[in-house]
Every structure is written in structure tokens, then in C-alpha cells.
């Protein structure tokens, strides 16, 4: 390309219509370094000045004349950069680019450095041949060029403009060359001895063989395999054998470590060292390679093209190709980022070709150890034909969702299907491009919010892998319109801030009118004020709703996210009606953050209304069933409301008053834990106070539970409320670490309940919480019939002594209990099992003791009408005796109604101070 370039520029020439006309002129190339700021490019090149003039003449819209001027400018920019680098491109290549409107628009209209797009495309043209690049797989070549144009080192990708013959695809051979570790002609080193030890003793393992016929038993087959480093790391016995072997041969290598365990990570140093020793040994002796080098862009293309042209026999019943490699280039950009070495991809391809499976075996799900890569390696260090980082190594070592999804993505890419990993906090998944032949549309699909993932990287460009999914709707709408809208987006990026603010709206709107799915143009709207943005969003929704094309839905998710950020960051409009409109939209679409909503509510209704709403929400929240999500939402709302108050002192005073509203309600039950409401630390921070320790808030929390019980006793006696309170008390009791406080609270509840029937399960629970079973003659080991279930306050759990019908245990049977303190007893209670008469005790004895060693018979109980009395439901039996001081008691089952074992639901005591309640 010469220093003077013939460009088709849209010059400012007067015409009868007052519009611009195209004219071929010769413009000297001005230097345009790659690092020239975008905002100055329009000024640095004459073609840029023409482009800006054309845009102004076109009423700041993206018109056909502006399109022509933009292409001329981009060509001038590319020519200047290539000329400055002393590089030339052949005329026939440039003519081909210009001859196809879609190729021309892609090369010059997408990236900020079109020279790099040309360089990559020409390099592929040389390596793959003009027939492949210009006719057969043009879209794949364009995807490669566009996706890699921002690379800092094109040479590292194999990009070169030097003339050469068409390349031939060569899959590198396996680089491993195993060393003879018993070579008598040389002195053996430590690594030789390590390998020789591993080969000295095969390990036996079992394999379960599935039966040929359903119902037949599974057979177990014993097999042998060579020992590997991971076996030694996991076994103390093998470590001792290894150390002895090395010592006998005067070698210093030793292994003395624990098996890989992430919960003992502080003690895993020797484990990691042993793993590294074995890994280096395998590398040194040709049993494990370093990872192969990455392929060039041309090699990746050639690999994909070769496979795409493969023809399977009909009897193989393969779906091939999995994805059309001649799809529009935006659908292929994920393939263009494929960097896995060819040998790894070749094995994946051969597996699929020969067996229909991409891998020989998927990665095992190994749990938390996957979070410690060094332990993951130690867990399975062994020889392999592929290095660390390969799909094959990932399949061998296993992992969690990240590894599983990574293997899935990389195998799909190797087989020519565009795919990517999707992420959310704590989890990963897989998404991929799907082609619907019936509608000729392209879609991304995933189980993890597929339309949301592409926006995780706001700085990315529309054609980057992370954003490729967003192009689906735009491509379905039409490639010419997509490319024109991309040129409008690039023109926007070239404008100065003043131009954007003054006249950018018309450019953005005209670009979106060409293709209403261009994400870059909707992102450009973030520069506008909130009301202008809202108008644009409403127009865009109407524009998309009017489209009647497959694969082109109303898609405003990202626009709404952008608008929510604008409502939070941009100044609130002075116009109250505009604020009301924005507030209504945020509420209708449920997209406003609490802070944004508070800003606009204050602007519309005033600060008192905002604070009153926050206070109402707080009071309702305190009275409701709380959870982590509702606490977080309320805390966010309170914080947002406080930020509307002018002055820090006023904010502190308001927050302090809200903390007063919380008095006695700071704690709540979350699952099986007592936790502090998230609102409390938020309000405390605003108020400038410290959050009280949880122990200091426990008494008020217990009082609130007692008050609920009191209210129910005095009110409806609601069974559901009682069961809910019982469940909460069972959760709370184990967390009360202050024994005196716990005992005092339990005694208070027991006195409050008295003998009121609906609350006896609750009473039994609190009275018996500190009781301990000290001895038991027999418990069922099969049916979970432990003796503690007779003092757990739960009428549905039982102590029983039968294992099987043949092993019922016989009678008598007994268990002893320590009540934790001396009590004056006047009787005992017995609740029979509620489900059947088998094992139901109808004759028992009750002993008491002060020391747990010397026992005194207090009373016996005989229940002649037990079956008759429980037909209407289980009824607690009571046996009284003279007041007796005791800390321990023993219950003895002497006779049962049926069978030869005992089953007891609950045993309790009657204390001297217990009195009947009305």
C-alpha cells in the first residue's frame, strides 16, 4: 500500500439536495499510530474530518452517506498504520475485501484497529489459501481476524505478511520418550530409583462388572495396575516401603506425609512436596510432558476445517457437523479464541469420531479438595501422555463445577461448537451457540441465566468471547443491519464528549433503528441523563416489539441494568414530573436499587414520606418471619433512606431512633442458629454506635419467646403456633451456653405451662433438656431406639429394645437419668408409644438416687386399662409417691402388653412445686 491512497471519500460538495456526494479523491496518508486516542482520530486524519462533516450534514444520524464516509475513514486509518509499519497488502486481496459488502463492513467497521484485522485475514489467506479464506470458510476467517485484532503480539499467533506456500496441517506426535530406568550402562539417579520402586509392586484393585441380564448379581473382578506416586502419598505402609527402598540404595528421597486433605491444609506441606517430587520424576523420565505449545490461528482454522469436511458413514449415526462452520462470523467468535494444543484437540476429535464420546471418561466430582490445586495434583499424581492444563489431565484429576464445565466447553470447542463457561457466585455452568435450522437462527442456551452472562464484563467489546451471546438477536435480525449498527457504535466511540452530549442521541437512535439489538449502542446511552435514557428505552421496547422475525424477542435486560445504574449515579432531574415517571418505571420493571428508589421517592414525595415508608417497612419486618434475604433487603432500604437525610448528625439521630424500634428484636432464628438481624449493624454504623455482643441481646430474645407463649396461653391455644414455638425452643436451647440462664428460662416456661394440655410437649422439652442418660440395659442398634429418645420431649420418638423379631431382648429392661440437680419428686409420668401395642409397658418400677449408685424404689406403676385409655389418643400416665429428694432416677420396664421387648415414648417427673393450672 503506497503513501498515497485512493479513497472513496464523502466530500463536502454542494448538491441540489444539500446532502453529501461520493467522490474519489487522492488523500495523502497521515501517520496514525496505533495508540492514538479515539477522540483525536477524527482530527488526525483528513478522512476523519470528512467523516465528522458528513455526520453533521446528516443531522447527526447514521445515514448511507455517513456509512460511506466512515468506511473511507477506516480505510485511511488502516492504510496509514500499515504504511507507517512499512507493510503492504496485494491489490487483489484488498479488491476482494472491498468486493463483498459484508466482508468490507466487517474488516473496516468493527474494530478500532482495522489494520490488525487486515493483517490477520491476509495471514490466514497465505496459510490456508485464497480458495478457503475467500470462498469456502470466509466467516471463520473473519471471526479469527476480528476476535484477535486486539492482541498485543500478533506474531505469537502466527500472523505474518511474508509470502509462503499454503500450510499443511500436522498434528504433533506424542513428545514422550520413556527413559530406561534400569540401564546397566550408566549410573542410576534418584529418579530412576523412584520409578523402579513404583514398578516393583503392582497394586490389586476391584472392578464391579455389570450383569448381562437385569436382576443377575453384580460380579467383582480383581485386577492389577502399576503403582503411581499418588498411591504412595495416600498410604503410610507404602511410604515406609518407599523409604526403606531408597535407604537401601543410598538415596535421600523420602516420603512422610498425610493423605491430601483440604481440612488439614496447614499440615499438607510434606504432601505437596511429595507430589512435586513424583511430578518432577515423571517429567525427567519421559512419563509426563510439559504442555504442548498453543497452535497458530491458521492451525486452529485448518484443524476445524479438516474435521468439518469429514464424512461419517451412515451406520455411525453421528450428528455432524455439530455446528455449521459457515455460520455468520459473530456466531463463531468463541471458536476463534480456542487455544488448546492440537494434539489435545486431536484426541478429543478421534474419541468422538470413533466412539461418539468426546472424552474417554469425564472428570470425577471431587469436592472441596478441588479448591486447593496443589492437593488436587497430589491426590492423583501419575504418568499421562498430556501435561497439566490439558483436558485430559483435568479428566484424570477431577474437580468441581469449574473443571466439569471447563472440560465440557473445551471439548465442544475442539469439535467445532462455539461454547463458553458461565459463572455465578459459587457455581459454574456451560453455555453454547445453537443453530436452529428450521428458523435459520442462532441462540445461546444455558441453565445459568444465559442472557445475563454476556454482560459480566462491561469493558468487553461486542465481539469478545464474554459478549458473544449478545450478538445472537442482532445477527438473527440481519447481518447487514448488524454491521451498519456496529459502524454507528464505532463512530460514537470516536466522538468527543461535547459531540456526544450535544448530538449523540440521534446517532445512537439511528444506529438502533438499523438494528435494535446492538448492545454497544444501548451502552452508549449511559452517557445521557435519566429522562433521555428512559425515552430511548421506551422507544427501543416499541421498536423491538414491532419486529416479527424468529429469534428476535423483546430484549431489555441489559438496558434495564444500565438504567438502574444511571438512576443511582446521575443527578436527579429538577423536573418533578420527570422524577415521577422515572420512579414509576423503576418500580414497574423492578429494576431500581433501594438507593435509587429512595432518591426518586424523596424527589417526588419529599423526605418525610421516604422516612415514613422506611419506618413502616421496618416495623412490618420486625413483626414478620425473618430470613437472611428479607433482613438484607430491609437493611438496604434503611440505609438508602438514611442517605437522603441532609447532615450526618441528623442521619445518626434517625438511625439511633430506629435502633430503639429494634430493642428486644435484634435476634432471630435462621435455620438452626440464633443470628443478629442484618439491619442492626447497618443502623449501628449510621448511628455511630457499636453492635452489642449477642450474649447481651439473648435475654430480650428469650423474653420475646416467653411473651409469645403467654399470649397464646391467654388467647387461642393455636396448635400450629404451639408447634412452631416448640420447634424454635428446640433450636434455641442448645445455643444457650450460660447454663444458669438456660435453666432459669426453662423453669419459667415450665411454670407458665403448668398442666395445660396443648403445651405438654413444650414443657417436656424444656424440663428435660439438661437431662442425661447415664446407663441403659439395652437399646436397639438397628432401629435407632436409643434411650435418650424417652427424655427428648418428642412423643413420636421412642426408646425400644428390639433389633429383630428373633432378637427382641427380653424383660426387664431399664435406663437411668441424671437430672443435673437435686429435685424434690412427688411422682413420675409415662407416655406410651403412640403407634402400636407391641412393646407397650403396662407394669414398671421407678427408682430414685442422690448419687447414681444407691437406688431406692419410689413406686411401681400398673396400667390395667392402657389400651382402652389410649384409643382416643396417647394419654400420659401419672404415678405419685411421697416427696423424695433425688438427682437421678431409673425407669424399669417389667412387663409389656405384647411381644418380648419394651418401647417407651416419654418418661418424666412430677416435682413438689408443680401445681395444677386452670
Amino acid at each position: 500500500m503506497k503513501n498515497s491512497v485512493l479513497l472513496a471519500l464523502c466530500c463536502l460538495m454542494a448538491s441540489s439536495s444539500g446532502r453529501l456526494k461520493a467522490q474519489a479523491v487522492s488523500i495523502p496518508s497521515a501517520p496514525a499510530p496505533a495508540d492514538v486516542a479515539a477522540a483525536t482520530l477524527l482530527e488526525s486524519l483528513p478522512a476523519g474530518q470528512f467523516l465528522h462533516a458528513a455526520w453533521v450534514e446528516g443531522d447527526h444520524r447514521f445515514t448511507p452517506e455517513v456509512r460511506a464516509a466512515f468506511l473511507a475513514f477506516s480505510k485511511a486509518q488502516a492504510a496509514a498504520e500499515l504504511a507507517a509499519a512499512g507493510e503492504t497488502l496485494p491489490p487483489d486481496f484488498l479488491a476482494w475485501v472491498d468486493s463483498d459488502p459484508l466482508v468490507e463492513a466487517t474488516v473496516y467497521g468493527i474494530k478500532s484497529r482495522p489494520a490488525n484485522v487486515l493483517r490477520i485475514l491476509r495471514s490466514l489467506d497465505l496459510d490456508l489459501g485464497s480458495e478457503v479464506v475467500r470462498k469456502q470458510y470466509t466467516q471463520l476467517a473473519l471471526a479469527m481476524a476480528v476476535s484477535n485484532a486486539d492482541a498485543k503480539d500478533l506474531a505469537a499467533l502466527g500472523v505474518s505478511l511474508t509470502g509462503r506456500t499454503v500450510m499443511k496441517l500436522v498434528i504433533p506426535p506424542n513428545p514422550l520418550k520413556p527413559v530406561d530406568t534400569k540401564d546397566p550402562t550408566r549410573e542410576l539417579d534418584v529418579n530412576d530409583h523412584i520409578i523402579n520402586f513404583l514398578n516393583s509392586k503392582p497394586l490389586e484393585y476391584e472392578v464391579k462388572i455389570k450383569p448381562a441380564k437385569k436382576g443377575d448379581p453384580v460380579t467383582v473382578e480383581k485386577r492389577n495396575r502399576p503403582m503411581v506416586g499418588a498411591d504412595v502419598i495416600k498410604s503410610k505402609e507404602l511410604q515406609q516401603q518407599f523409604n526403606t527402598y531408597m535407604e537401601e540404595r543410598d538415596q535421600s528421597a523420602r516420603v512422610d506425609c498425610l493423605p491430601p486433605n483440604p481440612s488439614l491444609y496447614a499440615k499438607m506441606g510434606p504432601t505437596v512436596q511429595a507430589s512435586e517430587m513424583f511430578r518432577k520424576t515423571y517429567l525427567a523420565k519421559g512419563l509426563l510432558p510439559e504442555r504442548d505449545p498453543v497452535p497458530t490461528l491458521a492451525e486452529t482454522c485448518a484443524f476445524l476445517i479438516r474435521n468439518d469436511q469429514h464424512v461419517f458413514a451412515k451406520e455411525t449415526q453421528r450428528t455432524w457437523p455439530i455446528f455449521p462452520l459457515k455460520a455468520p462470523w459473530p456466531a463463531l467468535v468463541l471458536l476463534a479464541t480456542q487455544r488448546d494444543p492440537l494434539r489435545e484437540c486431536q484426541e478429543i476429535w478421534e474419541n468422538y469420531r470413533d466412539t461418539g464420546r468426546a472424552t474417554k471418561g469425564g472428570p470425577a466430582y471431587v469436592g472441596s479438595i478441588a479448591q486447593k490445586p496443589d492437593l488436587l495434583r497430589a491426590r492423583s499424581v501419575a504418568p499421562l501422555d498430556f501435561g497439566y492444563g490439558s483436558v485430559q489431565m483435568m479428566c484424570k484429576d477431577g474437580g468441581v463445577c469449574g473443571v466439569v464445565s471447563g472440560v465440557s466447553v473445551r471439548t465442544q470447542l475442539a469439535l467445532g461448537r462455539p461454547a463458553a463457561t458461565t459463572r455465578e457466585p459459587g457455581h459454574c455452568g456451560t453455555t453454547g451457540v445453537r443453530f436452529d435450522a428450521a428458523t435459520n437462527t442462532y441462540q445461546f442456551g444455558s441453565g445459568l441465566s444465559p442472557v445475563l452472562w454476556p454482560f459480566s464484563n462491561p469493558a468487553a467489546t461486542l465481539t469478545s468471547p464474554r459478549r458473544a451471546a449478545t450478538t445472537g438477536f442482532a445477527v438473527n435480525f440481519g447481518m447487514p443491519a448488524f454491521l451498519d449498527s456496529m459502524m454507528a457504535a464505532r463512530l460514537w466511540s470516536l466522538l468527543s464528549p461535547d459531540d456526544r452530549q450535544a448530538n449523540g442521541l440521534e446517532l445512537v437512535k439511528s444506529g438502533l433503528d438499523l438494528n435494535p439489538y446492538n448492545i454497544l449502542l444501548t451502552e452508549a446511552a449511559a452517557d445521557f441523563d435519566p429522562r433521555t435514557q428512559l425515552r430511548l428505552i421506551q422507544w427501543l421496547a416499541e421498536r423491538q416489539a414491532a419486529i416479527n422475525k424468529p429469534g428476535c424477542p423483546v430484549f431489555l435486560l441489559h438496558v434495564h441494568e444500565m438504567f438502574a445504574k444511571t438512576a443511582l449515579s446521575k443527578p436527579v432531574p429538577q423536573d418533578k414530573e420527570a422524577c415521577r415517571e422515572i420512579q414509576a418505571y423503576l418500580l414497574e420493571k423492578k429494576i431500581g436499587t433501594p438507593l435509587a428508589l429512595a432518591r426518586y421517592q424523596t424527589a417526588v414525595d419529599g423526605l418525610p414520606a421516604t422516612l415514613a415508608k422506611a419506618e413502616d417497612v421496618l416495623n412490618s419486618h420486625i413483626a414478620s418471619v425473618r430470613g437472611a434475604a428479607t433482613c438484607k433487603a430491609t437493611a438496604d432500604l434503611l440505609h438508602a433512606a438514611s442517605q437522603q437525610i441532609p447532615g450526618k448528625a441528623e442521619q445518626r439521630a434517625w438511625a439511633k431512633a430506629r435502633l430503639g424500634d429494634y430493642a428486644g428484636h435484634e435476634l432471630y432464628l435462621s435455620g438452626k442458629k440464633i443470628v443478629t438481624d442484618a439491619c442492626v449493624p447497618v443502623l449501628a454504623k449510621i448511628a455511630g454506635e457499636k453492635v452489642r455482643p449477642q450474649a447481651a441481646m439473648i435475654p430480650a430474645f428469650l423474653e420475646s419467646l416467653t411473651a409469645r407463649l403467654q399470649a397464646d396461653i391467654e388467647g387461642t391455644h393455636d396448635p400450629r403456633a404451639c408447634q412452631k414455638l416448640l420447634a424454635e425452643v428446640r433450636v434455641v436451647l442448645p445455643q444457650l451456653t450460660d447454663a444458669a440462664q438456660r435453666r432459669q428460662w426453662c423453669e419459667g416456661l415450665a411454670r407458665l405451662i403448668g398442666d395445660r394440655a396443648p403445651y405438654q410437649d413444650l414443657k417436656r422439652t424444656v424440663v428435660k433438656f439438661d437431662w442425661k442418660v447415664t446407663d441403659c440395659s439395652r437399646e436397639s442398634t438397628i432401629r435407632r431406639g436409643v434411650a435418650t429418645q424417652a427424655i427428648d420431649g418428642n412423643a413420636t420418638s421412642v426408646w425400644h429394645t428390639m433389633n429383630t423379631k428373633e432378637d427382641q431382648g427380653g424383660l426387664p429392661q431399664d435406663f437411668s437419668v441424671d437430672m443435673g440437680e437435686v429435685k424434690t419428686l412427688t411422682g413420675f409420668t409415662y407416655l406410651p408409644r403412640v403407634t402400636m401395642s407391641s412393646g407397650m409397658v403396662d407394669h414398671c418400677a421407678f427408682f430414685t438416687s442422690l448419687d447414681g449408685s444407691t437406688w431406692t424404689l419410689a413406686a411401681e406403676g400398673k396400667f390395667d386399662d392402657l389400651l382402652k385409655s389410649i384409643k382416643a389418643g396417647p394419654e400420659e400416665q401419672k404415678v405419685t409417691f411421697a416427696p423424695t429428694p433425688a438427682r437421678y432416677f431409673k425407669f424399669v420396664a417389667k412387663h409389656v402388653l405384647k411381644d418380648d421387648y419394651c418401647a417407651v415414648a416419654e418418661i418424666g417427673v412430677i416435682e413438689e412445686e408443680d401445681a395444677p393450672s386452670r
Side-chain angles (χ1 to χ4, degrees):
M1 193 173 289
K2 299 179 180 179
N3 288 339
S4 180
V5 184
L6 190 63
L7 302 169
L9 296 175
C10 290
C11 302
L12 282 172
M13 296 181 63
S15 66
S16 57
S17 64
R19 297 293 178 185
L20 297 172
K21 289 186 177 180
Q23 174 179 325
V25 296
S26 180
I27 302 293
S29 296
D35 59 352
V36 172
T40 63
L41 272 175
L42 291 181
E43 301 173 2
S44 64
L45 290 174
Q49 299 166 19
F50 279 110
L51 171 57
H52 190 272
W55 176 61
V56 172
E57 182 69 12
D59 295 331
H60 307 102
R61 297 175 58 80
F62 195 79
T63 64
E65 292 83 3
V66 174
R67 181 186 189 277
F70 178 86
L71 286 174
F73 158 75
S74 191
K75 291 177 182 180
Q77 177 193 357
E81 182 177 336
L82 291 169
E87 298 171 332
T88 60
L89 297 174
D92 70 300
F93 173 77
L94 293 173
W96 164 69
V97 171
D98 291 347
S99 68
D100 187 323
L102 296 184
V103 174
E104 180 188 40
T106 298
V107 170
Y108 296 111
I110 302 298
K111 304 300 292 185
S112 60
R113 293 185 65 186
N116 273 359
V117 180
L118 285 168
R119 287 177 172 120
I120 297 172
L121 197 60
R122 174 54 182 163
S123 182
L124 293 175
D125 192 52
L126 290 167
D127 283 325
L128 304 177
S130 298
E131 181 71 18
V132 170
V133 170
R134 304 185 193 186
K135 296 181 180 179
Q136 297 177 352
Y137 291 92
T138 303
Q139 298 301 311
L140 178 61
L142 289 172
M144 286 285 177
V146 171
S147 298
N148 294 283
D150 293 329
K152 293 182 180 180
D153 185 2
L154 292 184
L157 301 177
V159 175
S160 169
L161 300 183
T162 303
R164 53 193 180 274
T165 59
V166 174
M167 64 167 284
K168 181 179 180 181
L169 179 65
V170 177
I171 306 298
N174 187 336
L176 292 181
K177 295 180 180 179
V179 174
D180 180 2
T181 59
K182 295 183 178 181
D183 187 351
T185 64
R186 63 178 178 83
E187 183 179 353
L188 302 185
D189 60 25
V190 64
N191 292 322
D192 292 314
H193 290 297
I194 291 174
I195 296 300
N196 291 340
F197 169 78
L198 295 174
N199 291 337
S200 66
K201 182 180 178 182
L203 293 185
E204 187 177 79
Y205 66 103
E206 294 182 347
V207 177
K208 292 183 179 180
I209 309 297
K210 292 183 179 180
K213 294 182 180 180
K214 190 175 181 180
D216 289 350
V218 175
T219 59
V220 177
E221 181 179 300
K222 291 187 176 181
R223 297 179 183 176
N224 290 328
R225 65 168 175 80
M227 189 192 315
V228 298
D231 297 319
V232 179
I233 291 173
K234 295 174 186 176
S235 169
K236 278 294 182 183
E237 181 182 352
L238 290 178
Q239 290 176 26
Q240 293 173 358
Q241 295 175 15
F242 176 86
N243 294 339
T244 300
Y245 185 94
M246 291 295 141
E247 188 175 353
E248 290 173 350
R249 288 155 181 79
D250 294 326
Q251 300 298 319
S252 60
R254 297 291 184 273
V255 177
D256 184 10
C257 65
L258 296 172
N261 186 341
S263 63
L264 300 175
Y265 193 67
K267 300 180 179 180
M268 289 292 105
T271 305
V272 174
Q273 292 172 7
S275 172
E276 274 298 288
M277 179 189 72
F278 286 119
R279 185 186 70 84
K280 291 178 180 179
T281 294
Y282 288 137
L283 286 170
K285 297 306 170 183
L287 299 174
L288 180 69
E290 298 288 0
R291 198 174 182 200
D292 295 7
V294 298
T296 66
L297 298 183
E299 286 173 331
T300 298
C301 282
F303 177 81
L304 293 170
I305 291 169
R306 183 206 66 182
N307 297 345
D308 183 69
Q309 294 174 343
H310 182 83
V311 178
F312 282 96
K314 289 184 179 181
E315 57 269 19
T316 60
Q317 298 183 339
R318 297 279 192 281
T319 299
W320 192 258
I322 297 175
F323 190 83
L325 212 55
K326 297 181 181 180
W329 66 261
L332 302 174
V333 293
L334 292 177
L335 290 179
T337 63
Q338 163 73 296
R339 290 291 178 271
D340 280 346
L342 291 180
R343 191 168 63 90
E344 298 172 15
C345 296
Q346 177 69 8
E347 189 192 62
I348 294 171
W349 158 248
E350 289 175 352
N351 285 335
Y352 181 81
R353 181 194 65 195
D354 301 338
T355 69
R357 292 174 55 88
T359 60
K360 295 178 180 178
Y365 203 88
V366 298
S368 60
I369 197 172
Q371 309 303 324
K372 304 291 185 183
D374 47 1
L375 297 189
L376 186 64
R377 288 193 294 271
R379 174 183 172 273
S380 54
V381 61
L384 193 70
D385 288 347
F386 298 90
Y388 283 97
S390 65
V391 166
Q392 291 79 3
M393 184 65 76
M394 292 166 70
C395 287
K396 177 182 76 70
D397 286 354
V400 287
C401 55
V403 168
V404 174
S405 60
V407 168
S408 174
V409 167
R410 290 163 63 180
T411 53
Q412 290 184 69
L413 291 173
L415 295 175
R417 185 195 174 200
T421 299
T422 58
R423 292 180 174 86
E424 65 182 9
H427 192 46
C428 296
T430 302
T431 187
V433 186
R434 291 180 173 84
F435 174 63
D436 185 347
T439 59
N440 195 34
T441 57
Y442 299 88
Q443 300 175 344
F444 262 61
S446 168
L448 297 175
S449 305
V451 295
L452 181 61
W453 296 113
F455 311 125
S456 59
N457 182 5
T461 63
L462 187 61
T463 52
S464 75
R466 298 289 296 173
R467 301 288 291 286
T470 64
T471 65
F473 302 146
V475 170
N476 294 337
F477 186 79
M479 272 299 290
F482 167 75
L483 295 172
D484 285 353
S485 69
M486 283 299 297
M487 284 187 271
R490 267 210 63 209
L491 175 56
W492 165 272
S493 70
L494 295 169
L495 295 178
S496 68
D498 290 343
D499 270 340
R500 292 181 184 181
Q501 285 298 317
N503 302 297
L505 178 61
E506 288 304 315
L507 174 62
V508 170
K509 195 171 181 179
S510 63
L512 287 172
D513 194 39
L514 290 168
N515 193 311
Y517 297 103
N518 190 306
I519 300 300
L520 292 187
L521 285 173
T522 58
E523 286 180 342
D527 279 8
F528 304 140
D529 64 83
R531 191 171 198 180
T532 301
Q533 277 192 41
L534 180 57
R535 293 280 186 269
L536 182 64
I537 292 170
Q538 292 169 332
W539 169 83
L540 186 62
E542 294 175 359
R543 176 76 175 87
Q544 291 183 359
I547 298 171
N548 186 22
K549 282 187 175 183
C552 294
V554 175
F555 176 69
L556 299 173
L557 176 63
H558 184 48
V559 181
H560 283 162
E561 289 179 344
M562 173 196 69
F563 185 56
K565 293 177 182 178
T566 295
L568 187 62
S569 60
K570 295 275 186 180
V572 175
Q574 297 296 315
D575 185 347
K576 195 170 185 177
E577 189 57 38
C579 292
R580 194 183 309 278
E581 189 177 354
I582 293 169
Q583 180 195 29
Y585 194 84
L586 291 172
L587 290 171
E588 176 194 353
K589 303 302 181 182
K590 299 179 180 179
I591 58 176
T593 63
L595 189 53
L597 291 172
R599 295 179 76 204
Y600 279 89
Q601 182 179 19
T602 303
V604 172
D605 301 322
L607 179 60
T610 300
L611 298 181
K613 178 184 177 183
E615 292 162 15
D616 289 343
V617 170
L618 173 59
N619 292 329
S620 298
H621 170 68
I622 291 174
S624 68
V625 177
R626 287 177 273 177
T630 57
C631 290
K632 173 69 166 57
T634 306
D636 289 344
L637 176 66
L638 294 172
H639 177 265
S642 73
Q643 299 309 297
Q644 310 314 306
I645 302 174
K648 292 293 183 181
E650 290 77 8
Q651 289 180 13
R652 286 194 292 270
W654 183 80
K656 191 171 183 178
R658 303 292 72 75
L659 281 174
D661 297 338
Y662 251 107
H665 303 283
E666 298 94 339
L667 305 180
Y668 73 98
L669 284 179
S670 176
K672 294 188 176 182
K673 289 185 178 181
I674 301 174
V675 297
T676 303
D677 192 314
C679 297
V680 174
V682 169
L683 289 171
K685 184 176 181 180
I686 299 169
E689 298 183 357
K690 291 185 177 180
V691 179
R692 291 189 300 156
Q694 192 177 89
M697 296 185 279
I698 285 287
F701 174 69
L702 299 180
E703 287 177 13
S704 69
L705 292 177
T706 305
R708 283 170 52 194
L709 174 61
Q710 178 75 50
D712 193 67
I713 288 174
E714 295 174 353
T716 60
H717 306 295
D718 182 1
R720 289 178 299 179
C722 186
Q723 287 301 312
K724 184 176 185 300
L725 187 60
L726 172 60
E728 292 181 13
V729 168
R730 284 176 173 163
V731 171
V732 169
L733 285 174
Q735 299 182 65
L736 300 180
T737 56
D738 186 329
Q741 181 187 57
R742 181 177 65 242
R743 188 179 304 111
Q744 182 182 4
W745 184 58
C746 288
E747 290 173 351
L749 290 180
R751 284 194 299 270
L752 182 61
I753 292 170
D755 61 356
R756 293 179 177 88
Y759 310 98
Q760 290 309 300
D761 278 353
L762 176 55
K763 181 178 179 180
R764 283 190 288 266
T765 296
V766 298
V767 167
K768 303 174 185 179
F769 181 76
D770 287 320
W771 291 8
K772 308 293 182 186
V773 172
T774 58
D775 188 31
C776 181
S777 61
R778 179 180 171 93
E779 297 173 323
S780 173
T781 58
I782 296 178
R783 303 190 180 188
R784 300 177 183 176
V786 294
T788 54
Q789 294 183 159
I791 60 169
D792 63 358
N794 185 353
T796 61
S797 64
V798 298
W799 165 57
H800 68 89
T801 59
M802 182 182 77
N803 285 325
T804 65
K805 287 185 177 181
E806 294 76 24
D807 181 20
Q808 296 191 24
L811 294 167
Q813 299 290 351
D814 64 81
F815 69 89
S816 306
V817 172
D818 178 2
M819 296 182 290
E821 61 180 353
V822 175
K823 301 175 184 285
T824 300
L825 306 184
T826 60
F828 73 92
T829 62
Y830 157 56
L831 184 67
R833 75 185 305 177
V834 299
T835 54
M836 63 182 70
S837 60
S838 294
M840 187 177 288
V841 178
D842 62 351
H843 183 193
C844 63
F846 190 86
F847 294 82
T848 62
S849 175
L850 288 170
D851 60 7
S853 299
T854 304
W855 297 95
T856 302
L857 176 65
E860 290 197 27
K862 293 184 178 181
F863 314 107
D864 297 332
D865 297 324
L866 197 57
L867 280 177
K868 182 179 179 181
S869 67
I870 67 169
K871 285 184 177 178
E875 182 177 336
E876 189 173 65
Q877 309 296 313
K878 296 182 179 180
V879 177
T880 60
F881 47 78
T884 303
R887 173 170 173 168
Y888 301 86
F889 71 80
K890 179 187 293 185
F891 175 84
V892 181
K894 304 181 75 172
H895 188 268
V896 296
L897 291 176
K898 185 179 178 181
D899 290 326
D900 197 25
Y901 72 97
C902 65
V904 175
E906 286 293 316
I907 297 296
V909 298
I910 302 172
E911 296 186 53
E912 187 174 42
E913 63 269 24
D914 287 349
S917 302
R918 287 182 287 177

